[in-house]
């Protein structure tokens, strides 16, 4: 089957181009001098145009027709199935729009950087307006079966999920969480610790090393917003950030580690195919949230983290550290939010980006709508746009439909963690010793190895025997609120 | 003229792809975890294939035919002229060979890294053999007008120069330099200084800052072998390295600065055209050698460098520093060679790579031939292959025909420096104050701004009024040998 070989070659090429694009983004956020942004936007634009051409060529359609119904190998069938899905979807996007999206994303990130530093929403408004318009245009192009543009945007991140699913799940959460938050607030306030940066750096480095992060095939850097890039099976780059006085780096580095581990544990046979990466953003976020919520925030693992901080010159008891890591306290900032209020930050972003895409909210009105939403959902007064609607890079990068996966990830992580403990037994004894290999293996076997062969909901069903549920998450957060 | 627009668009695209490729190389040598090498080789291979396709498409031939004789604007005529030259040349390379060359280059660099670290030529031999065969095959493909494969390889770096030109120029140098070296050796031996790394770092950073290297549009990193990458007009990345006890970093950072400045001062109107970069490797090397030999090794500028080292905690007099920077002492290593023996290192590499490509030297015999050549030309016993034929990355990267430009660069730098001083007056008073703006401006006006519009020899003639000469270089080195 020459058509199959050709298809697989093209998928390998697209996989490599995707890695190259990821390097350009990583570099832009980690190493690039700021004034390189204009040239970088051009480079990303060219790469997007070429990738789009190679992903949408009519020859792919010819190969797919030839392969229709004749492929017997199960892996090849999945390769063909996803190739058809991706090709049909990509064919709906005009080349110029793909180029415009890539350029606007690079420009928008740069503009966001400057605007956030200056706490000046006006400096970002034009770029955001452009991103909203392009995202809407893109959603309109790829929508099918009566999907709204926002449905269509969602499918890029979580194929098979729809706006109405999110409304239902997030609606239930928006009802269940505020009473827990109120209950938590009746307790004594979260005790403050003033941990300097140096012991954080020691603790992050040694904790990651304990989990298998070596310098031979990993990088750990700092960036304004932590993220992870995978440029090959043996080239994983996570970033974190250190804030004087905050424990956030311990959580965010484990969070990014969860993303990284997922990509590294995809079945090797899927490498350089169209199946060789995480299947969706919500499953990806479930992996990061699993390490953040269920490992880093586990009272047993707090003993390891406290010892590492101590080795770095900041003595703290495991129970004090654990209390600080799980303390519930509504605040303005998503990435440092506690696990109970966190989904409420996501629900706000979901509401606002849906309204932006549907044209019900003008970009100029975003700061006010953000403040109103924070009051309504979290009872929080936003101190500035830098700590309000400018706090996240996503909209600057042109990513709409991405935020919901952060909320879904919390739910899926809790569901996977319950299933894993039901199968392996409680993890506390292992975590107290910093032993994570059984967790890594269980995730490889039940989640990671499939790559894109299973979509979000089928994967959850296969791993847990049940559909997406909010109850495991509520069982996880309720004791945190009760204290 | 739609054909002209299309041609210019394609040239812009190829310029961007070239920058992307440069980023992949820079990253591989500066930031990439070592085990990412296999994936990087794949990525470079795909990029090379795409670039080759876009650079050789028959549509370019159609545009060129349409534009033949009808373009009146002088800049556009140069764009068309160089586009035709590059297209015809690239068309002679089969796509598969282009892909193989790119992959072998990435693999070869990785192999070279390991072999050098282990001082094990055997670990590099296979990769080098492959690179030699591919370079020879490439040379045979692109050769025209009775050129030898090595002539053809040269043209990639220095269009218009031929093997016989090099034999003549290097022959004259190989006769003129050894007596100067012998004369220098009769003097008292070079005094040793044990400068630690920390003051070197201070001096390099502050000297570069003085020359306009800011963090907004530059990066300065360390790598095994110093090099420079230009990823856009405002994204310049040079690397240096620090060796405990050596002043090399002061020279190599100014050397790389010379490369960087050239690219940054190309006429803005040439940006993202096929003319918007340095015209040849020998002109490029003349720029680096000008800053290394004529600025960093200038007794007046030694006052600046000595003050910076002093500020970094290493007091030294300007005359001691200058003596250390120009002291003549035959040694095994090219990059730390003094300005008198340096061209002899290049002549050795020229002889050996010519013999490798012409099949007169087997790869397995390279270490012995290297040792013999070092004895003959420099009277030096090579202590190890790591400090012998494994010391440079070039052959590992598949670059044959590149080394000669290092020797030519020394000659051209001296010729330009003489002309500049004849026009501007002696530079000593300025350099003593660290004032380099008039030099930067003169180079912009007489060398840099032209980009690829003038080839090596026409550019030398325009800037100096004369063809390539060795006398200015001999006038520069003779006092160094006399002391």
């Amino acid at each position: 089957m020459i058509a199959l070989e050709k298809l697989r070659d093209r998928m390998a090429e697209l996989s490599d181009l995707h890695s190259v694009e990821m390097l350009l983004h990583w570099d832009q956020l980690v190493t690039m001098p700021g004034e390189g942004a204009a040239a970088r936007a051009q480079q990303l634009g060219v790469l997007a145009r070429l990738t789009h051409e190679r992903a949408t060529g009519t020859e792919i359609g010819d190969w797919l027709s030839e392969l229709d119904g004749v492929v017997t190998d199960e892996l090849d069938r999945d390769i063909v199935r996803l190739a058809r899905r991706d090709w049909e979807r990509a064919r709906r996007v005009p080349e110029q729009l793909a180029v415009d999206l890539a350029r606007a994303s690079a420009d928008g990130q740069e503009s966001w950087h400057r605007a956030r530093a200056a706490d000046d929403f006006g400096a970002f408004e034009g770029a955001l307006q452009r991103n909203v318009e392009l995202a809407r245009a893109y959603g309109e192009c790829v929508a099918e079966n009566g999907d709204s543009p926002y449905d269509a945007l969602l499918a890029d991140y979580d194929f098979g999920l729809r706006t109405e699913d999110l409304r239902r799940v997030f609606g239930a959460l928006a009802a269940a969480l505020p009473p827990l938050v109120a209950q938590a607030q009746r307790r004594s306030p979260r005790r403050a610790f003033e941990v300097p940066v140096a012991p954080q750096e020691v603790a992050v480095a040694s904790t990651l090393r304990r989990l298998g992060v070596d310098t031979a095939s990993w990088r750990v850097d700092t960036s304004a917003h932590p993220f992870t890039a995978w440029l090959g099976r043996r080239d994983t780059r996570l970033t974190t950030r250190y804030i004087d006085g905050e424990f956030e780096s311990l959580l965010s580095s484990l969070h990014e580690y969860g993303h990284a581990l997922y990509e590294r544990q995809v079945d090797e046979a899927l490498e350089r195919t169209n199946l060789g990466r995480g299947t969706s953003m919500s499953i990806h976020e479930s992996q990061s949230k699993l390490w953040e919520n269920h490992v880093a925030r586990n009272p047993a693992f707090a003993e390891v983290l406290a010892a590492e901080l101590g080795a770095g010159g900041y003595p703290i008891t495991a129970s004090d550290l654990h209390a600080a890591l799980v303390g519930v306290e509504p605040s303005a900032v998503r990435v440092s939010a506690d696990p109970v209020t966190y989904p409420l930050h996501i629900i706000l972003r979901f509401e606002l980006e849906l309204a932006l895409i549907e044209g019900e909210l003008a970009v100029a009105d975003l700061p006010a709508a953000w403040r109103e939403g924070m009051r309504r959902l979290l009872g929080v007064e936003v101190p500035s746009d830098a700590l309000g609607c400018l706090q996240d890079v996503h909209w600057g990068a042109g990513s709409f439909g991405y935020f919901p996966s952060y909320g879904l990830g919390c739910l899926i992580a809790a569901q996977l963690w319950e299933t894993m403990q039901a199968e392996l037994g409680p993890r506390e004894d292992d975590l107290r010793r910093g032993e994570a290999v059984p967790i890594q293996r269980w995730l490889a076997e039940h989640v990671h190895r499939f790559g894109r062969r299973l979509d979000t909901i089928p994967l959850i069903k296969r791993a847990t025997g049940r559909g997406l549920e909010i109850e495991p998450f509520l069982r996880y957060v309720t004791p945190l609120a009760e204290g």
Side-chain angles (χ1 to χ4, degrees), chain A:
Chain A
M1 269 182 290
I2 291 173
L4 185 60
E5 268 174 51
K6 285 184 173 165
L7 184 70
R8 291 193 66 146
D9 277 355
R10 181 62 60 87
M11 296 302 116
E13 180 188 288
L14 291 171
S15 160
D16 289 335
L17 286 173
H18 185 253
S19 299
V20 170
E21 193 190 331
M22 216 179 244
L23 174 64
L24 266 67
H25 284 297
W26 177 86
D27 180 76
Q28 178 161 23
L29 294 171
V30 177
T31 44
M32 188 186 79
E35 292 182 9
R40 182 54 46 88
Q42 298 278 14
Q43 293 152 10
L44 283 165
V46 162
L47 216 51
R49 190 171 65 225
L50 284 179
T51 301
H52 186 251
E53 270 182 43
R54 309 293 285 187
T56 56
T58 52
E59 65 279 10
I60 297 180
D62 298 339
W63 302 331
L64 290 171
S65 301
E66 215 176 302
L67 293 169
D68 201 21
V70 301
V71 178
T72 51
D73 177 78
E74 272 194 40
L75 173 55
D76 286 331
R77 283 169 74 150
D78 278 348
I79 287 173
V80 171
R81 177 172 61 85
L82 270 287
R84 180 180 301 283
R85 183 205 283 177
D86 293 341
W87 180 74
E88 288 177 349
R89 195 168 161 81
R91 292 274 290 180
R92 296 190 206 113
V93 186
E95 185 183 312
Q96 189 55 48
L97 179 57
V99 173
D100 291 346
L101 282 162
R103 285 204 191 146
S105 171
D107 290 343
Q109 286 174 72
E110 206 54 33
S111 164
W112 167 79
H113 255 295
R114 281 195 305 272
R116 194 177 75 142
D119 188 21
D120 177 8
F121 179 77
F124 177 53
E125 198 178 325
L128 180 57
Q129 180 70 41
R130 173 109 177 112
N131 280 352
V132 167
E133 284 163 12
L134 287 171
R136 189 186 297 133
Y138 174 84
E140 283 165 359
C141 286
V142 297
E144 57 177 342
N145 307 328
D147 283 356
S148 71
Y150 190 76
D151 283 324
L153 290 168
L154 273 183
D156 267 351
Y157 303 104
D158 260 284
F159 193 86
L161 281 177
R162 296 173 58 93
T163 309
E164 63 192 45
D165 302 326
L166 295 179
R167 284 196 208 270
R168 193 178 56 244
V169 171
F170 287 158
L173 269 184
L177 290 179
L180 289 174
V181 176
Q183 181 177 18
Q185 285 188 287
R186 285 192 293 272
R187 294 161 45 205
S188 55
R190 195 166 164 169
R191 181 176 151 199
F193 292 87
E194 290 300 328
V195 56
V197 168
Q200 295 179 53
E201 289 174 335
V202 170
V204 165
S206 48
T207 304
L208 290 176
R209 209 156 40 231
R210 195 185 276 278
L211 297 176
V213 174
D214 56 45
T215 56
S217 66
W218 296 76
R219 277 188 69 93
V220 180
D221 295 274
T222 57
S223 64
H225 188 92
F227 73 103
T228 307
W230 35 91
L231 309 183
R233 287 185 71 75
R234 309 290 297 162
D235 184 353
T236 313
R237 307 180 181 199
L238 62 85
T239 73
T240 185
R241 64 174 177 190
Y242 297 99
I243 300 171
D244 192 36
E246 301 279 338
F247 289 112
E248 181 198 300
S249 61
L250 300 178
L251 298 167
S252 76
S253 56
L254 271 279
H255 178 105
E256 297 304 327
Y257 171 78
H259 285 302
L261 186 69
Y262 184 10
E263 292 289 330
R264 287 172 73 98
Q265 295 200 129
V266 171
D267 185 351
E268 269 192 60
L270 308 187
E271 194 179 350
R272 299 183 79 234
T273 73
N274 51 344
L275 310 175
R277 58 177 196 269
T279 193
S280 69
M281 279 305 118
S282 67
I283 296 296
H284 241 296
E285 279 300 313
S286 79
Q287 296 312 294
S288 54
K289 279 292 173 188
L290 187 142
W291 291 90
E292 178 190 343
N293 281 352
H294 301 278
V295 177
R297 287 192 166 107
N298 194 297
F301 200 68
E303 298 187 19
V304 172
L305 293 175
E308 305 288 15
L309 285 169
Y314 186 78
I316 185 170
T317 67
S319 66
D320 277 351
L321 178 61
H322 178 251
L325 293 176
V326 300
V328 180
E329 190 175 341
S331 80
V333 178
R334 176 182 67 87
V335 292
S336 56
D338 61 78
V340 185
T341 56
Y342 185 87
L344 296 166
H345 289 267
I346 299 309
I347 292 168
L348 169 67
R349 286 156 178 77
F350 165 64
E351 289 176 358
L352 295 177
E353 70 178 15
L354 181 59
L356 284 169
I357 296 299
E358 294 190 339
E360 288 167 11
L361 174 65
V363 165
D365 297 333
L366 177 64
W370 186 283
R371 285 161 204 270
E372 182 281 318
M374 286 299 291
R375 252 177 242 126
R376 173 171 45 86
L377 287 163
L378 282 147
V380 164
E381 286 302 320
V382 174
S384 67
D385 289 338
L387 294 171
C389 64
L390 288 175
Q391 70 184 267
D392 293 308
V393 69
H394 305 63
W395 293 339
S399 301
F400 297 85
Y402 186 132
F403 276 124
S405 64
Y406 290 135
L408 299 174
C410 298
L411 307 181
I412 301 166
Q415 195 170 339
L416 289 172
W417 187 257
E418 278 196 355
T419 306
M420 182 199 301
Q421 293 205 106
E423 292 182 12
L424 299 182
R427 295 292 83 214
E428 276 69 20
D429 285 352
D430 270 7
L431 288 181
R432 196 164 288 116
R433 293 177 293 114
E435 173 59 83
V437 170
I439 299 174
Q440 293 167 341
R441 291 209 180 126
W442 190 91
L443 291 171
E445 173 66 20
H446 296 277
V447 180
H448 299 172
R449 68 185 172 97
F450 299 106
R452 293 180 75 208
R453 298 185 74 173
L454 295 171
D455 288 322
T456 304
I457 300 299
L459 181 61
I460 295 171
K461 285 190 176 145
R462 194 181 193 290
T464 71
R466 311 177 64 93
L468 175 66
E469 297 179 325
I470 69 167
E471 291 74 15
F473 180 72
L474 294 177
R475 282 193 287 272
Y476 162 68
V477 291
T478 299
L480 303 182
E482 288 168 347

